[in-house]
Amino acid sequence: MVYVFLAAGFILLIKGADFFVEGSSSVAKRLRVPPLIIGMTIVAMGTSFPECSVSINASIAGSNGLAISNAVGSNIFNLMVVCGICALFCPLSADTETLKREFPFSIIVALVLFGLGSAGMVLGHIDGIIMCAIFAGFLYWMVMSARKARNENQADSQDYEIIPVWKCILYITGGIAAIIAGGDVVVDSATKIAEQFGMSDNLIGLTVVAFGTSLPELVTSVVAAKKNEVDMALGNVIGSNIFNILLVLGMAAAISPVAFIMENVVDVIVLVVMSLIVWAFTWSGRRIVKGEGIAMLLMYAGYMGYICTR
């Protein structure tokens, strides 16, 4: 029966992502806002709801290893697997401004987590408040960027084939609901299977739960890439990684101090190194191509082998 629920969860994820991308893309066109910004805000927040729920509930329940490992594991998965698989379908391009601002900011965010966590080997209430404040600043920055982009595009008289406002709202809200429901079903089913094999909280968080809660990002980004919305696909990954650390872990730590173990330190270092590698890949040709996507997937497979044997 657990496998039936697992399959049903995947179906909800796929169909929900399809509607969500369609609605979000239409909103971007209607507001004349770049899809990258929509990807880093509306889409990133929507697809990161599962990580938020899991990490905050884990913090309240005292499963601190699951809270941090889920967020960090999801970020590594987003970066290497989501981007890697998307690159197999269509080259993931990035403009110079993204490579100079948003992408480096996601790396700085990981370094902030490393600094705050390793300083006292715990993310305390103050640390959580600091991270949430930084996220508020990031959100303000995105809103200002959206307003600037909209003003610059006011003169653009191109007619877009977009769906009505009511249908946009229906697609986005319905898509998010299906994504969250599907993610919850997949995570619950996969966790039960993993627990039968005696996996630890930290290992479950880095593998099964990280994979399950990142399925919305994976499916949404792949659907966006197949619809040729590559800016939205990349924006979803960058925005989700920033959201997962600053708001998800920030709120978890603000509610209840989260222990930071040595394995977390290693995993955050891995996240920073892999972020730098992907950043270099993107700088090389202003896009991530199929060969680089395959290399990223192989690196992630090596990392999986490492955490399963440590």
Side-chain angles (χ1 to χ4, degrees):
M1 181 61 70
V2 69
Y3 294 101
V4 174
F5 282 112
L6 195 62
F10 276 115
I11 293 172
L12 280 172
L13 277 169
I14 293 169
K15 294 307 296 180
D18 193 23
F19 284 115
F20 188 44
V21 169
E22 190 71 25
S24 300
S25 175
S26 189
V27 167
K29 292 171 182 176
R30 182 178 292 277
L31 298 178
R32 302 190 187 281
V33 173
L36 177 72
I37 293 178
I38 295 294
M40 283 194 291
T41 52
I42 297 175
V43 178
M45 290 183 188
T47 57
S48 289
F49 281 150
E51 284 95 335
C52 190
S53 175
V54 170
S55 291
I56 290 176
N57 287 336
S59 177
I60 294 174
S63 300
N64 294 329
L66 187 60
I68 293 181
S69 60
N70 171 45
V72 175
S74 294
N75 280 16
I76 295 173
F77 184 92
N78 289 345
L79 194 67
M80 307 307 285
V81 178
V82 174
C83 285
I85 291 179
C86 286
L88 301 182
F89 290 97
C90 180
L92 282 180
S93 58
D95 59 36
T96 304
E97 290 303 311
T98 302
L99 294 175
K100 287 182 178 179
R101 299 184 307 180
E102 289 85 5
F103 208 137
F105 182 71
S106 69
I107 299 174
I108 292 171
V109 165
L111 290 172
V112 168
L113 174 62
F114 176 80
L116 293 177
S118 59
M121 297 308 287
V122 65
L123 287 177
H125 295 298
I126 301 300
D127 297 325
I129 293 172
I130 290 172
M131 293 163 73
C132 289
I134 296 174
F135 178 78
F138 167 73
L139 204 58
Y140 176 78
W141 176 26
M142 286 294 97
V143 170
M144 291 299 102
S145 297
R147 290 183 61 181
K148 179 180 178 182
R150 185 179 181 182
N151 291 335
E152 290 174 351
N153 292 331
Q154 283 298 327
D156 185 2
S157 59
Q158 180 180 357
D159 292 326
Y160 294 106
E161 291 185 6
I162 50 180
I163 58 180
V165 174
W166 69 268
K167 193 173 285 188
C168 286
I169 296 172
L170 181 63
Y171 277 15
I172 292 175
T173 54
I176 288 177
I179 287 170
I180 294 173
D184 286 343
V185 171
V186 169
V187 170
D188 289 343
S189 302
T191 302
K192 288 177 182 177
I193 295 172
E195 287 175 345
Q196 293 175 1
F197 291 92
M199 295 171 65
S200 67
D201 275 355
N202 192 55
L203 185 55
I204 290 175
L206 284 169
T207 54
V208 179
V209 180
F211 171 73
T213 56
S214 289
L215 278 175
E217 285 89 346
L218 175 60
V219 179
T220 302
S221 292
V222 169
V223 170
K226 292 181 71 175
K227 289 176 179 287
N228 205 32
E229 297 283 357
V230 290
D231 284 349
M232 187 176 292
L234 185 60
N236 178 31
V237 170
I238 295 174
S240 292
N241 282 12
I242 293 171
F243 184 95
N244 288 345
I245 290 179
L246 292 182
L247 191 62
V248 173
L249 281 183
M251 288 180 64
I255 293 171
S256 175
V258 181
F260 207 81
I261 62 177
M262 187 53 64
E263 288 179 350
N264 297 144
V265 173
V266 173
D267 294 328
V268 175
I269 292 173
V270 170
L271 172 61
V272 171
V273 171
M274 288 186 172
S275 297
L276 291 171
I277 291 172
V278 176
W279 191 30
F281 279 167
T282 315
W283 262 115
S284 62
R286 298 296 189 275
R287 60 181 185 172
I288 302 172
V289 296
K290 183 179 294 186
E292 292 166 336
I294 293 173
M296 290 158 63
L297 292 172
L298 290 174
M299 281 187 274
Y300 184 79
Y303 169 69
M304 282 292 99
Y306 159 69
I307 64 172
C308 289
T309 56
R310 69 183 178 185

